[in-house]
Amino acid sequence: MTKAQTPDTLERLLHDLSTAAADHDVLAPARDLLATLTAAQAQHQTIAVVGEVKKGKSSLINALAGVADLSPVSSDVATSVALRLRHGPPRIEVELYPPPGGTAPPTQHIARAEVAAYATEDGNPANLRQVDAINVYAPSPFLGAGVTLLDTPGLGGLFRNHAAVTWRHVPTADAVLFVTDSVETVLTKDEVDYIKQLQKLGKFTLYVQTKADAADPEHVLGWKKRNLEILAEATGKPANTLAYFCVSARLAARAETAPPEHKEKLLKRSGIEDLRKFLIDRLGGARRKQAETRCAADCKALLATASKAVLERAAQATAVATGDIAQVEASYNERRRVLSDWLQNDHRQAVRFFNQALVDLQRDAAREARAALQTSPPGDLYRSIETAVAEVLSNPTSGLQARINGLVERCREDCAAVTVAVGTALREAALDRLTEASRTLLGEAELDLEEPDIAGAADAVLAGGGEITIEEPRATRAEHVLTSMSLAMSVGGAASALFPPVGLVTGVAVLWWMSSRKAQEALTKEVAVLRAKLVPSLQGEFRTATATTLQLVEDLVTQFRRAGEALFEAAAARRRHELAELQDWLTSQRARNKDGHKHAVDQAKAAAALIQEFAARLAKVTAPATAPAGATSKAA
């Protein structure tokens, strides 16, 4: 058959488009469309086979797959888990439920002889092995056509958990095949209830009456008619729109081993071949048709976009080929003027505003630090320290050194708090200015800054100028006590010469009076000495904190000034790069105007012609899909 006689398809069209994309980049998306269509066509349709026990589900599945004993047929009631039958090299995989709160165990591979031990109620009572599903692979033309059969446990019967397994897996299927038979009875109330539940899932459902060879044809057709009446009432759909098949799995099994001259006749009598064709065409074909419809629409949009692109290229090439470069140069000049003005005006102004903002922030921060830490005239902080000094020195008893140490520590902590507050406020204000400048100049606000060492400055203030040591003047106190005792003894002795009892009392009184007076004078002197030593030390702490804070302010401003310089340089470099790119663009435009434009025009025209050819092919390929649809196909 010649190429002209070969029917065109969407897949072949997309393949040719993908090949053409090697020379025409506007057609490159066709490769993705081809991959999407191929993947959709390769997808499997899962058909759940559902029905009551002993209706011949497993025999029907084996007949459809054309593989004997693919699904256990000894007793439907014994099947306790779902079996997925798929095309592939023979193997059997067991999927287990995950433990509570855990992940599913690895898939197990078992031999065919072990299936009963996992899939039947006799071998795996109440599903003690925690089997979720069993995947059975076998080479089968029917399964290889994109069909997966899901064999579910029989509904009804003695084991209610089987129904739960069935309803767990049925929602994952694409369609449902409900099985009844030609022997026991027409559809029962329980079966009708099952069918109504299936309707709620919104799945396409077809109905198969098995064991057609076990009764005379008139009986089989009579049951079919009655079942269709029951289904029409249960589903609310006309009987002639329902997919209903009468089949014999036993005749199909005999056909597999029959001589060639009898095989076709047995298959036709079994009804299995008609059911296979319906399942492949109706279900697999519908999915492929949906995929083709979506890909055809995407292909049409692709061709329209590609046609517009090549026409724009042709127009551009034509304009350049005719020497119409004036508009390009005018655009270049305007963009260059805007960039130059920005460098000359906006950029410089931004630098000036930022630097002035840093100067103002440094001045305000330094003023705030000095005001908070000043000692003359004293600020609020230093006045509180003076009050604390007076409290400490008002009671210079034992433990004085510890209280002075606590006072010094408090002084340093208060000064360090000022340092942190001033540094933090300055950093936040400077960062706001820098962020604003970054957003204005670069259109972004993310900054990579080294974190300022505010904590280090605070630690330096806390370290202070060392410990202030106070020594208690014990010798002075002993001296004034001894002097008082000597004077008291002299007075007491003179008085005793005249009147002994009076002399003793007089001596004691003089001793008490002299001792108290001397002690008070000594204490006053000691307090004065302590104050003279302590106050300058505390003032020194304030001066150290002031110097450290001012240095921190200067360091922060220097850091942000450098960051600003880097930011402004980056912004200027970006604009200079844009100017360079703009110059390169103009150069390339002029070069294109000198040579190669005719080739560009010819290539664009050739691409446009090719796209038109593909568009015509697509219209022919999709024509049947856009024609008025006929009556809906009805199953036998």
Side-chain angles (χ1 to χ4, degrees):
M1 183 178 290
T2 64
K3 183 177 180 179
Q5 295 173 321
T6 303
D8 202 0
T9 63
L10 179 61
E11 185 176 6
R12 184 178 295 110
L13 172 63
L14 290 175
H15 181 274
D16 294 344
L17 271 172
S18 300
T19 302
D23 298 322
H24 304 285
D25 60 318
V26 292
L27 301 178
R31 299 190 184 102
D32 294 334
L33 290 180
L34 178 59
T36 300
L37 180 62
T38 302
Q41 291 175 339
Q43 287 182 350
H44 280 230
Q45 282 284 108
T46 298
I47 303 173
V49 182
V50 179
E52 289 191 330
V53 298
K54 298 182 180 180
K55 296 293 184 178
K57 297 195 315 302
S58 296
S59 297
L60 172 62
I61 288 174
N62 293 338
L64 284 171
V67 180
D69 299 327
L70 191 60
S71 178
V73 297
S74 58
S75 174
D76 273 358
V77 73
T79 304
S80 59
V81 300
L83 283 79
R84 301 190 191 97
L85 297 100
R86 293 170 169 168
H87 175 72
R91 66 186 188 278
I92 300 176
E93 301 172 346
V94 178
E95 297 178 1
L96 302 178
Y97 285 109
T103 57
T107 299
Q108 298 182 9
H109 294 267
I110 63 173
R112 180 174 292 278
E114 298 178 274
V115 171
Y118 287 84
T120 65
E121 197 64 43
D122 292 337
N124 183 20
N127 196 14
L128 294 178
R129 294 179 180 268
Q130 292 295 295
V131 177
D132 184 16
I134 298 178
N135 300 317
V136 181
Y137 292 85
S140 164
F142 173 70
L143 299 177
V147 175
T148 293
L149 293 176
L150 178 63
D151 187 6
T152 62
L155 297 170
L158 300 177
F159 304 99
R160 296 187 178 277
N161 61 308
H162 291 184
V165 174
T166 297
W167 292 115
R168 166 179 163 78
H169 287 278
V170 166
T172 66
D174 299 292
V176 178
L177 192 157
F178 191 89
V179 179
T180 185
D181 68 12
S182 305
V183 178
E184 293 187 7
T185 178
V186 294
L187 290 170
T188 65
K189 180 179 181 302
D190 287 342
E191 288 178 304
V192 170
D193 290 340
Y194 296 144
I195 291 169
K196 289 181 178 179
Q197 291 184 58
L198 291 172
Q199 294 293 307
K200 296 177 181 179
L201 297 178
K203 307 287 184 182
F204 174 77
T205 305
L206 65 153
Y207 307 91
V208 177
Q209 181 179 320
T210 62
K211 306 178 183 179
D213 62 314
D216 61 77
E218 184 177 351
H219 172 85
V220 171
L221 292 177
W223 277 29
K224 172 184 176 181
K225 179 180 179 181
R226 179 56 186 147
N227 282 341
L228 282 172
E229 292 173 353
I230 296 173
L231 288 170
E233 182 178 355
T235 64
K237 299 178 182 179
N240 63 350
T241 64
L242 299 173
Y244 194 102
F245 293 84
C246 297
V247 302
S248 169
R250 184 163 55 184
L251 289 178
R254 287 174 53 191
E256 294 297 331
T257 59
E261 61 270 19
H262 300 301
K263 183 173 184 177
E264 183 177 352
K265 183 177 180 181
L266 286 172
L267 276 177
K268 184 174 180 62
R269 287 178 55 195
S270 73
I272 290 295
E273 194 61 30
D274 291 338
L275 180 56
R276 286 175 181 163
K277 187 175 185 304
F278 177 83
L279 290 173
I280 293 174
D281 293 346
R282 171 65 176 83
L283 300 181
R287 173 168 286 190
R288 287 194 297 272
K289 194 64 179 177
Q290 291 176 356
E292 288 181 357
T293 300
R294 289 194 300 269
C295 286
D298 292 342
C299 183
K300 183 177 180 180
L302 163 64
L303 293 175
T305 301
S307 177
K308 180 180 179 181
V310 297
L311 290 176
E312 289 176 351
R313 292 181 183 181
Q316 180 183 10
T318 300
V320 174
T322 57
D324 188 12
I325 200 69
Q327 185 175 359
V328 173
E329 291 183 342
S331 175
Y332 163 79
N333 291 330
E334 175 60 21
R335 291 166 61 187
R336 187 177 185 281
R337 183 192 64 76
V338 171
L339 289 174
S340 298
D341 287 348
W342 183 90
L343 284 172
Q344 295 295 324
N345 300 319
D346 296 354
H347 181 263
R348 291 183 178 180
Q349 185 176 16
V351 172
R352 184 169 62 255
F353 284 170
F354 179 75
N355 288 335
Q356 183 59 47
L358 288 183
V359 171
D360 295 341
L361 289 175
Q362 182 176 10
R363 182 193 62 240
D364 295 343
R367 181 187 298 125
E368 180 182 354
R370 290 192 181 97
L373 298 172
Q374 70 181 5
T375 60
S376 179
D380 293 339
L381 179 58
Y382 186 72
R383 273 196 295 270
S384 69
I385 297 298
E386 284 184 325
T387 302
V389 169
E391 292 176 357
V392 169
L393 296 182
S394 65
N395 186 23
T397 59
S398 60
L400 179 62
Q401 180 66 60
R403 286 183 286 134
I404 289 177
N405 291 342
L407 176 61
V408 172
E409 183 177 356
R410 171 192 165 184
C411 173
R412 292 170 179 171
E413 289 176 351
D414 291 347
C415 290
V418 171
T419 300
V420 172
V422 171
T424 301
L426 175 58
R427 178 192 177 281
E428 292 177 354
L431 184 59
D432 288 343
R433 303 298 191 280
L434 188 60
T435 300
E436 181 181 357
S438 177
R439 186 179 291 109
T440 301
L441 297 175
L442 298 178
E444 58 192 32
E446 293 186 5
L447 300 171
D448 185 14
L449 290 176
E450 180 181 354
E451 190 65 24
D453 191 15
I454 298 176
D459 290 341
V461 174
L462 289 172
E467 184 178 358
I468 300 176
T469 304
I470 302 299
E471 295 183 1
E472 186 175 355
R474 301 180 182 272
T476 302
R477 295 182 179 178
E479 179 181 351
H480 77 249
V481 170
L482 290 175
T483 302
S484 299
M485 290 179 63
S486 176
L487 180 59
M489 289 175 64
S490 299
V491 174
S496 296
L498 299 175
F499 188 62
V502 175
L504 178 59
V505 173
T506 302
V508 171
V510 171
L511 176 60
W512 176 83
W513 177 78
M514 293 295 294
S515 176
S516 298
R517 182 169 176 273
K518 291 290 185 179
Q520 184 63 39
E521 291 176 356
L523 182 60
T524 302
K525 291 179 181 180
E526 289 175 9
V527 169
V529 171
L530 288 175
R531 181 182 297 277
K533 181 176 181 180
L534 182 58
V535 170
S537 298
L538 294 176
Q539 290 177 342
E541 297 292 341
F542 272 75
R543 287 193 295 271
T544 299
T546 302
T548 302
T549 305
L550 293 178
Q551 185 61 50
L552 173 62
V553 169
E554 184 176 348
D555 293 344
L556 284 173
V557 170
T558 300
Q559 179 184 354
F560 276 96
R561 181 174 290 111
R562 290 173 180 171
E565 291 171 354
L567 169 67
F568 296 130
E569 176 56 31
R574 177 182 294 187
R575 294 308 174 97
R576 286 193 292 267
H577 180 69
E578 291 177 6
L579 277 173
E581 286 185 336
L582 191 59
Q583 181 62 50
D584 293 341
W585 174 78
L586 179 62
T587 302
S588 66
Q589 293 297 313
R590 287 171 174 168
R592 288 186 61 187
N593 187 52
K594 291 182 179 179
D595 47 50
H597 297 99
K598 186 178 184 302
H599 172 72
V601 172
D602 292 342
Q603 188 178 32
K605 289 181 178 179
L610 182 63
I611 291 172
Q612 289 180 354
E613 178 183 342
F614 279 119
R617 286 178 59 186
L618 179 63
K620 291 181 180 180
V621 168
T622 57
T626 57
T632 303
S633 299
K634 298 175 183 177

